[in-house]
Amino acid sequence: MSNIMVTGTSSGFGRLIVETLAKDGHTVFAGMRETSGRNAKAAQELKALGAKGHVHVIDIDITSDQSVQKAIDTVARETGGAIDVLVNNAGRFSAGVQEAYTLDEVRSLFETNVFGPLRVNRAVLPHMRKRRSGLIVSTSSIVGRIALPCLGVYSATKSALEALAEAQRDELKGLGIDVVVIEPGAFPTQVSDNGLYPLDAERAGGYGPVAQIPQKIGESLGQLFSSPMSPKPQEVADAVKKLVDTPTGKRPARVVVDNLTGEPVRALNTWHDTHRQTLMAAFGMA
């Protein structure tokens, strides 16, 4: 059984990933912010789930160097440095007309969705490299591959996460460490409740109906999520479990988890992988 660190576990995919892996017998370190504050209830629930020792709640703010290092140092002490799997799940959704975002708002989103995983990777990788073994899984999105109107800023953060993981996969494979990106579609979680939405209504108003796209998306998804066709968030947790169970070196670079709209992204990924190999050969990296 593996020692697994998961970020963003107070709800949604992260919570289900912790529960699924713990039930499978793995020791899971469930990371979340404010375990004594606004996430105290979620922390207590996960602690109760870990009554048999499979779940340990870790306070971590992925936007803070100090918090990340302190959390990973704690996990390393508990495991003797044997951190087998890292799941970068913490992130924040965002939607709105690009012009309506301030630069500070965009920076804050990149701080969470891009720099956060970079911080955690830097803290965990020395332990994995020392043992020449490990798996890093990062939660992206299908819009990290295909940007849509009013999702451009969010897509940009996920595209950056994708690029970093893609390059790092080849950097680490010789050290026995796999890197995989999970690309979920739309699922009924609380992700939109805590989303970042630009507040410059005057600029957004100049776009007419385009500015209403986030609202229209929400209405469409609301109908989908209330129907029998609604996707189940457990599918993402199951995809992560499958990756954990797969032998090193046999894991795919990307996993699309979207049975309704994911086929174009799967096709894009296949095309991309083929032509990426051609480019790598041209640069003498094959």
Side-chain angles (χ1 to χ4, degrees):
M1 293 291 102
S2 299
N3 297 315
I4 303 174
M5 175 70 194
V6 185
T7 66
T9 63
S10 62
S11 63
F13 296 149
R15 173 69 175 264
L16 290 172
I17 290 168
V18 171
E19 293 175 352
T20 300
L21 294 176
K23 289 176 183 177
D24 201 39
H26 300 287
T27 298
V28 186
F29 294 85
M32 68 179 75
R33 294 184 299 172
E34 301 181 44
T35 56
S36 299
R38 65 187 179 94
N39 288 324
K41 182 175 183 292
Q44 288 301 321
E45 290 171 349
L46 284 179
K47 286 178 182 178
L49 178 67
K52 295 182 180 180
H54 291 312
V55 178
H56 305 272
V57 176
I58 299 291
D59 197 299
I60 183 172
D61 178 356
I62 66 168
T63 67
S64 163
D65 292 354
Q66 182 178 9
S67 176
V68 167
Q69 194 60 58
K70 180 180 178 181
I72 299 307
D73 286 348
T74 298
V75 176
R77 284 195 302 270
E78 293 288 333
T79 63
I83 304 175
D84 301 299
V85 181
L86 166 63
V87 182
N88 284 312
N89 175 72
R92 192 179 187 189
F93 177 70
S94 187
V97 174
Q98 284 186 43
E99 188 188 339
Y101 285 87
T102 66
L103 290 181
D104 284 342
E105 287 173 329
V106 176
R107 287 189 187 100
S108 72
L109 196 66
F110 270 82
E111 191 68 59
T112 298
N113 291 358
V114 181
F115 302 142
L118 276 172
R119 282 189 185 89
V120 183
N121 288 353
R122 278 180 54 85
V124 168
L125 274 170
H127 301 287
M128 290 185 173
R129 286 190 292 103
K130 184 176 181 180
R131 300 175 65 241
R132 298 183 72 86
S133 175
L135 166 64
I136 297 176
V137 180
S138 296
T139 304
S140 178
S141 167
I142 61 169
V143 297
R145 299 296 273 164
I146 301 175
L148 302 175
C150 291
L151 295 177
V153 174
Y154 177 69
S155 294
T157 65
K158 293 303 186 179
S159 293
L161 184 67
E162 296 258 358
L164 291 166
E166 181 173 60
Q168 193 170 52
R169 180 177 174 86
D170 286 316
E171 294 169 0
L172 291 173
K173 66 180 181 182
L175 297 174
I177 302 168
D178 282 344
V179 178
V180 183
V181 173
I182 294 281
E183 298 170 335
F187 283 87
T189 68
Q190 296 89 352
V191 64
S192 62
D193 296 344
N194 299 314
L196 171 64
Y197 304 97
L199 298 178
D200 195 331
E202 182 178 352
R203 287 180 183 259
Y207 283 78
V210 171
Q212 302 304 313
I213 287 177
Q215 179 181 338
K216 297 297 184 182
I217 292 174
E219 292 170 357
S220 296
L221 291 180
Q223 293 177 3
L224 170 62
F225 295 160
S226 63
S227 77
M229 294 290 291
S230 178
K232 305 297 186 290
Q234 182 63 40
E235 296 170 22
V236 174
D238 290 342
V240 173
K241 177 184 177 300
K242 183 176 180 179
L243 288 171
V244 172
D245 293 341
T246 301
T248 301
K250 302 295 184 182
R251 298 171 176 120
R254 293 177 169 87
V255 177
V256 178
V257 188
D258 184 351
N259 293 326
L260 297 178
T261 62
E263 197 53 42
V265 180
R266 293 187 185 94
L268 175 61
N269 288 345
T270 299
W271 179 92
H272 175 90
D273 290 345
T274 299
H275 290 279
R276 182 173 184 271
Q277 290 304 313
T278 301
L279 186 61
M280 288 184 66
F283 280 89
M285 299 179 184

